[in-house]
Amino acid sequence: QDQVLESGGGLVQAGGSLRLSCTAPARIFNMYAMGWWRQAPGKEREFVAAVDLSGMSSHYANSVKGRFTISRDNAKSTAYLQMDSLKPEDTAVYYCNALSLGPSGPQHHYNYWGQGTQVTVSS
């Protein structure tokens, strides 16, 4: 089964930065918008950010607007999530996946989940 591969997580102090990477098979990456979700312990997985196929349009959860930036490099089949001004409440496992985007944002995701990458923000 096709999967994406997330990397770049780690332990960082509040106010710090991390950049996550997500690599997918080219045949998937070149067809879909890409997005990031996160799941904190005891909570449901929640949408974080998404970027369209061209890389020109992005969508963000209100909780990360102004702090996180999503981008993609189609030549490398890799999506990125630059996370700045991190807060302890950003602590979660971060997942990447392909999705469909409508004018108002994410519509549904596909089934290419990877193993995720842990982000821990200490206070």
Side-chain angles (χ1 to χ4, degrees), residues 25-57:
R27 65 183 180 279
I28 295 172
F29 196 86
N30 294 335
M31 287 181 60
Y32 298 115
M34 298 297 295
W36 290 92
W37 286 256
R38 66 186 181 187
Q39 187 167 19
K43 294 187 177 181
E44 293 188 353
R45 192 172 298 186
E46 64 174 358
F47 169 76
V48 175
V51 61
D52 71 353
L53 187 59
S54 71
M56 299 298 290
S57 178

Side-chain angles (χ1 to χ4, degrees), residues 1-6 28 32 96-98 110-114:
Q1 183 176 347
D2 287 323
Q3 284 186 314
V4 301
L5 178 63
E6 303 97 338
I28 295 172
Y32 298 115
C96 175
N97 201 353
Y110 297 93
N111 191 27
Y112 302 122
W113 298 110

Side-chain angles (χ1 to χ4, degrees), residues 34 36 47-52 57-61 64-65 70 99 101-106:
M34 298 297 295
W36 290 92
F47 169 76
V48 175
V51 61
D52 71 353
S57 178
S58 56
H59 299 265
Y60 296 93
V64 306
K65 277 182 182 177
I70 189 170
L99 75 160
L101 275 176
S104 59

